[in-house]
Amino acid sequence: MFLDYKALGAGVEVVKVNPAYTSQTCHKCLHIHRVKGKSYRSGKTFSCGHCHWKGDADFNGANVIKLLGASVNSPRGSYLSCELRRKVEYFQSSLFDLVQGY
């Protein structure tokens, strides 16, 4: 509610995304650990085993949320490259399947 109120005052649209797996997904390659229940996150550090990006886990999670929000709310379509766009679409559909229980 507070975010909606502040965004309205600033003329900015709020896009709500499902936060599931955002702390476990690499923002560079959108890879999630292949073993269920495991994560590349260890405390405040995220270290991707796929593309080998290392950094702050909160920074990584915030960027995953940013990518998801941008991919669903761009008036001219996603600014992501074709390959990354496919990964985001796959990621979103995978999250949808998890939420739906498939």
Side-chain angles (χ1 to χ4, degrees):
M1 286 301 272
F2 180 74
L3 220 75
D4 294 328
Y5 166 76
K6 287 295 193 178
L8 184 63
V12 177
E13 183 178 0
V14 174
V15 177
K16 296 176 180 155
V17 298
N18 186 347
Y21 295 96
T22 55
S23 66
Q24 299 172 24
T25 304
C26 177
H27 78 281
K28 289 289 186 183
C29 67
L30 300 178
H31 188 261
I32 302 172
H33 200 290
R34 65 181 144 205
V35 178
K36 187 172 179 142
K38 297 277 186 175
S39 175
Y40 292 125
R41 181 180 181 144
S42 177
K44 295 287 290 170
T45 305
F46 187 92
S47 180
C48 182
H50 188 256
C51 74
H52 306 291
W53 181 86
K54 293 179 183 175
D56 183 72
D58 291 335
F59 173 83
N60 180 69
N63 277 296
V64 171
I65 291 171
K66 180 176 97 173
L67 283 170
L68 288 171
S71 72
V72 299
N73 195 38
S74 181
R76 290 170 282 165
S78 176
Y79 66 88
L80 300 173
S81 69
C82 294
E83 180 182 341
L84 191 53
R85 183 181 350 209
R86 282 193 298 273
K87 288 181 181 179
V88 168
E89 289 167 356
Y90 175 76
F91 178 69
Q92 288 173 328
S93 67
S94 297
L95 288 178
F96 180 75
D97 290 346
L98 285 172
V99 171
Q100 298 299 316
Y102 295 105

